[in-house]
Amino acid sequence: MIINYLIIGLSVITLFAVLGLVLVYLERKVSAFMQLRLGPMRVGYMGVGQTLADTIKLVAKEDIVPNKADKLLFNLAPYIVAVVAMLALAPLPFTQGLQVWDTSMGIFYIAAISSITVIGILTGGWASNNKYSLLGAMRSGAQIVSYELSVGLSLITIVLFAGGLKLSEIVGSQQDGWWIIKGHLPVWIAFIVFLIASTAELNRNPFDLPEAESELTAGFHTEYTGMKFALFMLSEYINLFIVASVATTLFLGGWMPFHISNWTFFNGLMDFIPPLVWFSVKSFSIIFVIMWFRWTFPRLRIDQLLTLEWKYLLPISLINVMIAAVVVMTGWHL
Amino acid sequence: MTTEPETISSIANSGIPIRSGIISPDFEAQDFLINIGPQHPSTHGVLHLKVHLSGEVITDLEPCLGYVHRGVEKMCEKLSYRQFIYLSSRLDYLSAHINNQACVIAIETAMGTEATPRAQAIRIIMSELTRLASHQLWWGCMGMDLGAFTPFFYGFRDRELITDIFEETCGTRLTMNYMVPGGVMHDIHSDFVRKVQEYLVHLKEKLPEYDEILSGNQIFLERVKGIGMLSREDAISYGCSGPVARASGLSCDIRKSHPYDGYDKITFKEILSSGCDNFARYQVRLGEMRESIAIIEQLIGNIPEGDFQAKVKKVIKLPKGEFYQRVETARGEFGVYIVSDGGNTPFRLKFRSPGFSNLSVLKKLCMGLKIADLVATMATLDLVIPDIDR
Amino acid sequence: MEKLKEKITGIEPAALFEESGGFLHAIVEPASGFAMLQRLNKDPDLKFDWLSSLTCVDWNHYFYIVYFLRSLELKHELVVKVKITDRLNPITESVTKIWAGAELLEREVYDLFGIKFHGHPDLRRIFLDEEWNGFPLRKDYKDEINIVEL
């Protein structure tokens, strides 16, 4: 048993590290592609070794703790955020049978665990003993807590359709077609709301005023150096992956191939591609879309950000849940 | 408030103002003073602002200048009339050609000569290209200040083509010093006309892209519309000029009111707007880019033949008197005031910088706004700090 | 320009006139300077509402404070020079109540020439440090360390 747990733990940590490296490299290449330049090219073939070099550099940096900072909380904050990110990786179904923990409260567990990230951010901002980090952390906290409501409501729409919280069941219910095709209008609205609200959850552009506050400071992680800063950064990218995976699992069919009913030859061809490849392609295309947002849109001001959530997204999500309930009860979906 | 010496950081952390020029009788417990700059991520140069915040809202603002003060006016008193032109391009380095044009025309008017027609046409083309380059850099930096990182690269990509043209003819990319009293220093490069025509075709294709990526974006419009209102009376009272004043409905284009170097023979529109807000200033500058393209198109096909430099004595001595020449740079009215006592060097030289007057209106624009709006407003004022600090 | 001269003599009889570089210069004493500038701004025939520039010239025995005025509606221009003869304690009236842009311009003149403006809301140095001694743009300013004499 212990051996099982050890293997699982090590593989999750490895996945965390490797995914982080790949995503940082991907972000740099995607941004370069949109900005008419090349991105990292020198370290390794086409620059693949760049993130590894950056990680080694960060690990070798001096670990500075500010004088009057609260030492325990200051050191604890990055680990809270990192551990939460790893915990949220647990119930994700990467392919048939490859799932760390198939709990019966799958999606609920992910939503609950991701909320603990806020504690890590607030702890980091408070313990830094820096007026501006605290401001940035509080803004960030307010933003995340507000947008969790919309995320939750859009997830509930799919739960209504699929009839359960267990992730493998949700994927299974998409055997004859992905929810984004089967459930029509309510699922489309839920998908768009989910994408917008998750970008805000991740503190990414266009919602990154707490972080890229170019006049005050770099937000809650200003005072962090070296490995702790690396953990904050990696956790942000892993959260990006988790959001993309959740979107894939709930809306785009998880590891299910793209079937069109009665086109048996086509379906056979689609089945030939392994499910893991399907999952990766879907989640990486959502990651690409979220990265695309970052490099295209300007930033929203903090009050515009909160107005967007409370006055627009939340009412739309609530109405959408009601529409979804009606559709499920009357069976108007495919 | 204690009087014992405390460290700067502890005072700043406690939020009590230190020896600043801001007079604030009701300083509440939750207000605090922050310093923006002099080093900033936004690329405006070394501008130091002391901002009083009450939560997120700005209650007072004071610019602290002098970080790039080089004493240019004092230096010019020791330089000859041909030499001080080199210092004028280092003021507002993004409109270097236009600054040089002001100095050179002031000297020519004082001596009673005029540049040759060929030189005048070349000067106007160079000035308008400079205006285009400056506005492209402004557009890119405005996008970056608001968080959209991609416009920065698009603006610079187009600007590179202009600086390449400058490098071929003038020798340098930023501080050109190509204009001399009487005309221009050398004739234009043989490829100049062809390259400028190709560039204009390229830019006309790209300008709609600028509109798509920023002006049409709803988030951008939310950030700039209705913010930073500058009324027409305030613009006149503070002496604002250039796009800042034209966006408040004030018609003050020097090229129209006091034409120089042949601008009166060219047809172009003066872009006015009555919006008075950040978005109006943004639109005015984009409109000016289109007008600059139109001006260059009128001239580039038929630059008059002839000498590129009129005969002027090697050592220039201006007659006794006072002379003032104003031009329209990318930022507003730039003026050169020369007081001459008959000698080889100016007795007193004063540069009227557009940024100085535009900066004085920043406090009025930003009272009551949020700190994120301050960044957007500064971006639309288009300040270049060496121009302000001289 | 003749008409302008007549109108200004009507406001301020003691003004002396010069013409240079295409501009009309009117030279006045500091005592009557402020009143004259206010009349120039408010008078409906003159309406000088635009202050282009405010500067100072040091002529060794006296200072001239130079105001470049322009009327946007009536399209005429004027240069007003206020003559200050007291070198030890040069003081004149501030025009911030007439043109708001003069606030920073007068601070610059104070910083570089040492001329005090009575009625200015916040007269401090603007470019140089608070503790700087001397006024650099004056003709008798000596600085062994920073200035290299050519």
Side-chain angles (χ1 to χ4, degrees):
Chain A
M1 266 334 257
I2 307 280
I3 305 287
N4 271 355
Y5 289 149
L6 268 179
I7 296 179
I8 292 174
L10 277 176
S11 51
V12 167
I13 295 181
T14 319
L15 182 67
F16 181 88
V18 168
L19 263 181
L21 289 175
V22 167
L23 282 173
V24 171
Y25 173 73
L26 189 65
E27 165 113 63
R28 290 173 74 160
K29 277 294 196 188
V30 164
S31 70
F33 160 64
M34 289 184 190
Q35 291 169 355
L36 313 167
R37 52 188 183 92
L38 288 172
M41 291 291 281
R42 288 195 181 261
V43 187
Y45 176 67
M46 299 287 274
V48 268
Q50 181 69 45
T51 330
L52 191 59
D54 281 338
T55 317
I56 298 177
K57 173 200 80 168
L58 277 173
V59 166
K61 274 196 191 282
E62 179 186 353
D63 197 23
I64 302 176
V65 177
N67 212 4
K68 297 201 186 142
D70 188 332
K71 297 225 175 359
L72 173 66
L73 291 178
F74 188 81
N75 291 328
L76 192 58
Y79 294 104
I80 297 180
V81 176
V83 164
V84 160
M86 285 192 245
L87 283 176
L89 279 173
L92 293 174
F94 295 110
T95 182
Q96 192 157 22
L98 185 63
Q99 199 174 3
V100 175
W101 183 35
D102 193 14
T103 168
S104 60
M105 54 172 189
I107 194 66
F108 181 64
Y109 167 82
I110 294 186
I113 282 284
S114 323
S115 311
I116 304 186
T117 325
V118 186
I119 299 185
I121 292 176
L122 287 175
T123 315
W126 167 263
S128 303
N129 190 32
N130 183 343
K131 188 176 8 170
Y132 310 133
S133 315
L134 182 60
L135 267 182
M138 284 177 27
R139 280 207 193 126
S140 190
Q143 184 183 321
I144 294 183
V145 163
S146 317
Y147 278 91
E148 266 172 9
L149 295 170
S150 294
V151 169
L153 284 173
S154 58
L155 295 177
I156 285 180
T157 320
I158 293 296
V159 168
L160 279 176
F161 275 99
L165 293 170
K166 199 165 178 186
L167 278 174
S168 55
E169 267 179 31
I170 297 182
V171 176
S173 71
Q174 299 183 64
Q175 195 149 21
D176 50 345
W178 304 343
W179 278 124
I180 202 160
I181 304 174
K182 283 203 301 192
H184 31 87
L185 187 64
V187 175
W188 296 340
I189 299 179
F191 184 57
I192 296 175
V193 168
F194 180 78
L195 269 187
I196 299 175
S198 314
T199 320
E201 285 275 298
L202 296 167
N203 274 340
R204 284 180 74 89
N205 238 19
F207 305 101
D208 70 344
L209 194 65
E211 205 172 74
E213 181 78 78
S214 58
E215 311 80 44
L216 296 184
T217 40
F220 58 90
H221 57 72
T222 317
E223 301 279 352
Y224 284 93
T225 57
M227 197 57 219
K228 302 200 193 100
F229 177 73
L231 276 177
F232 271 123
M233 288 286 101
L234 283 179
S235 319
E236 181 185 323
Y237 285 103
I238 297 297
N239 280 331
L240 173 62
F241 177 73
I242 293 173
V243 156
S245 310
V246 165
T248 315
T249 312
L250 261 62
F251 295 95
L252 295 179
W255 44 261
M256 286 285 174
F258 182 56
H259 282 170
I260 301 180
S261 48
N262 303 330
W263 288 18
T264 32
F265 179 65
F266 180 73
N267 289 350
L269 209 60
M270 294 287 111
D271 280 339
F272 193 63
I273 307 176
L276 190 59
V277 171
W278 276 110
F279 183 83
S280 315
V281 165
K282 290 177 208 174
S283 37
F284 274 87
S285 28
I286 301 219
I287 291 178
F288 177 74
V289 168
I290 296 185
M291 284 185 182
W292 197 355
F293 288 168
R294 180 174 187 181
W295 302 108
T296 320
F297 295 129
R299 223 172 270 145
L300 258 68
R301 224 170 49 204
I302 191 83
D303 63 321
Q304 289 167 344
L305 219 145
L306 295 173
T307 314
L308 178 66
E309 160 63 17
W310 293 99
K311 289 198 199 165
Y312 296 99
L313 285 185
L314 190 60
I316 293 178
S317 319
L318 283 171
I319 298 176
N320 194 34
V321 168
M322 289 195 282
I323 299 178
V326 166
V327 167
V328 167
M329 281 201 308
T330 53
W332 280 348
H333 57 277
L334 293 166
Chain B
M1 294 241 301
T2 78
T3 48
E4 59 193 37
E6 300 183 54
T7 56
I8 299 293
S9 58
S10 68
I11 295 180
N13 277 339
S14 66
I16 302 172
I18 30 167
R19 275 194 317 128
S20 78
I22 303 178
I23 310 134
S24 53
D26 8 77
F27 196 66
E28 309 259 334
Q30 68 267 24
D31 294 351
F32 51 98
L33 169 75
I34 63 168
N35 289 308
I36 297 185
Q39 299 113 326
H40 296 230
S42 331
T43 55
H44 292 301
V46 272
L47 179 63
H48 178 197
L49 294 174
K50 287 196 182 132
V51 182
H52 259 202
L53 290 178
S54 172
E56 185 89 26
V57 177
I58 297 177
T59 49
D60 205 348
L61 186 126
E62 184 201 342
C64 302
L65 306 171
Y67 289 87
V68 199
H69 178 66
R70 296 152 289 178
V72 167
E73 298 179 357
K74 182 92 180 169
M75 279 198 277
C76 289
E77 293 176 8
K78 296 282 188 329
L79 296 172
S80 75
Y81 285 101
R82 284 189 185 266
Q83 284 174 323
F84 85 84
I85 304 174
Y86 288 72
L87 283 180
S88 73
S89 17
R90 272 120 182 115
L91 294 176
D92 177 2
Y93 45 75
L94 293 174
S95 320
H97 267 137
I98 313 180
N99 290 3
N100 290 346
Q101 200 174 15
C103 301
V104 152
I105 297 179
I107 298 176
E108 284 168 5
T109 328
M111 287 195 302
T113 57
E114 221 190 38
T116 62
R118 182 176 174 83
Q120 284 188 346
I122 297 176
R123 277 189 195 166
I124 296 187
I125 297 177
M126 289 295 186
S127 297
E128 293 304 322
L129 282 174
T130 313
R131 198 184 311 274
L132 275 175
S134 169
H135 281 330
Q136 278 163 356
L137 189 145
W138 159 80
W139 182 80
C141 291
M142 172 133 191
M144 200 170 75
D145 284 344
L146 288 177
F149 299 101
T150 319
F152 186 73
F153 291 94
Y154 288 9
F156 268 80
R157 165 200 61 188
D158 295 325
R159 190 168 177 268
E160 272 303 301
L161 299 168
I162 297 186
T163 48
D164 283 343
I165 295 176
F166 283 156
E167 197 179 6
E168 256 189 354
T169 303
C170 317
T172 61
R173 291 157 49 103
L174 194 68
T175 52
M176 271 68 77
N177 300 312
Y178 177 58
M179 305 190 187
V180 291
V184 291
M185 207 183 266
H186 334 274
D187 207 352
I188 49 177
H189 193 267
S190 44
D191 272 343
F192 181 76
V193 174
R194 179 184 60 88
K195 279 203 169 168
V196 170
Q197 280 168 333
E198 280 172 11
Y199 175 73
L200 290 179
V201 168
H202 165 92
L203 188 63
K204 281 202 273 211
E205 260 179 54
K206 295 295 178 192
L207 274 181
E209 233 179 66
Y210 286 20
D211 273 324
E212 265 178 43
I213 194 172
L214 264 192
S215 337
N217 190 318
Q218 187 61 30
I219 302 179
F220 177 77
L221 293 177
E222 292 284 315
R223 286 292 298 269
V224 292
K225 269 202 169 158
I227 298 184
M229 306 291 285
L230 176 68
S231 65
R232 190 169 185 274
E233 293 71 35
D234 278 335
I236 299 178
S237 177
Y238 279 91
C240 298
S241 53
V244 173
R246 287 200 278 281
S248 301
L250 184 63
S251 167
C252 60
D253 196 334
I254 308 288
R255 296 174 292 173
K256 289 268 188 210
S257 57
H258 298 81
Y260 51 91
D261 253 7
Y263 268 112
D264 39 1
K265 302 194 196 65
I266 304 177
T267 35
F268 62 100
K269 292 198 298 265
E270 180 180 357
I271 312 280
L272 285 178
S273 164
S274 51
C276 304
D277 59 358
N278 283 350
F279 188 58
R281 293 191 272 274
Y282 174 88
Q283 295 279 61
V284 164
R285 286 201 179 93
L286 283 186
E288 276 186 11
M289 283 210 266
R290 294 194 170 88
E291 289 304 311
S292 291
I293 296 180
I295 295 176
I296 302 179
E297 273 176 347
Q298 283 174 47
L299 285 174
I300 194 75
N302 38 15
I303 302 179
E305 299 294 328
D307 276 335
F308 55 85
Q309 203 181 76
K311 282 268 171 285
V312 171
K313 281 202 294 268
K314 244 186 146 173
V315 175
I316 298 182
K317 274 193 190 181
L318 291 187
K320 210 160 185 274
E322 305 183 7
F323 313 99
Y324 185 69
Q325 176 62 36
R326 46 166 72 100
V327 293
E328 177 80 16
T329 63
R331 269 146 209 90
E333 173 187 335
F334 178 79
V336 178
Y337 173 54
I338 306 181
V339 177
S340 161
D341 61 350
N344 283 352
T345 65
F347 184 75
R348 164 90 170 107
L349 191 69
K350 155 93 178 152
F351 291 112
R352 190 265 182 205
S353 86
F356 200 70
S357 311
N358 288 352
L359 177 65
S360 56
V361 88
L362 183 65
K363 174 171 169 173
K364 189 123 210 275
L365 288 185
C366 290
M367 294 299 276
L369 292 182
K370 302 194 176 49
I371 194 126
D373 297 325
L374 170 66
V375 178
T377 313
M378 270 206 302
T380 49
L381 284 182
D382 199 8
L383 305 168
V384 172
I385 311 303
D387 183 35
I388 300 177
D389 276 356
R390 271 160 283 141
Chain C
M1 240 186 249
E2 285 307 318
K3 283 174 61 180
L4 200 53
K5 255 195 212 174
E6 281 170 24
K7 285 189 198 154
I8 296 172
T9 322
I11 301 179
E12 174 58 41
L16 302 165
F17 290 99
E18 269 176 22
E19 281 186 35
S20 178
F23 288 88
L24 177 66
H25 297 239
I27 306 172
V28 293
E29 294 295 317
S32 44
F34 181 74
M36 174 179 170
L37 287 165
Q38 199 158 36
R39 287 285 301 275
L40 285 172
N41 186 24
K42 296 272 189 314
D43 191 310
D45 280 334
L46 296 169
K47 264 205 166 174
F48 284 106
D49 48 1
W50 181 273
L51 178 70
S52 270
S53 186
L54 201 169
T55 183
C56 175
V57 187
D58 180 2
W59 284 103
N60 284 324
H61 297 296
Y62 52 90
F63 293 110
Y64 269 148
I65 308 281
V66 186
Y67 299 84
F68 284 85
L69 300 171
R70 197 168 125 211
S71 170
L72 292 165
E73 277 184 41
L74 303 171
K75 309 247 188 291
H76 46 227
E77 304 186 68
L78 180 68
V79 178
V80 176
K81 297 208 278 218
V82 173
K83 186 170 181 172
I84 301 183
T85 39
D86 186 355
R87 260 194 103 79
L88 293 170
N89 190 18
I91 186 164
T92 183
E93 195 73 30
S94 159
V95 296
T96 40
K97 293 191 194 56
I98 314 178
W99 295 285
E103 192 182 328
L104 286 185
L105 287 164
E106 287 178 351
R107 273 179 71 185
E108 183 192 345
V109 172
Y110 169 66
D111 188 9
L112 298 171
F113 284 93
I115 301 190
K116 294 205 179 47
F117 289 89
H118 181 250
H120 191 278
D122 181 22
L123 197 63
R124 285 178 293 141
R125 285 188 183 267
I126 189 169
F127 293 139
L128 302 170
D129 281 341
E130 299 281 336
E131 299 90 25
W132 192 278
N133 277 329
F135 302 106
L137 246 58
R138 286 197 185 182
K139 293 289 172 188
D140 51 2
Y141 179 75
K142 290 269 175 287
D143 188 341
E144 306 296 321
I145 307 171
N146 293 318
I147 297 186
V148 176
E149 296 288 333
L150 292 170

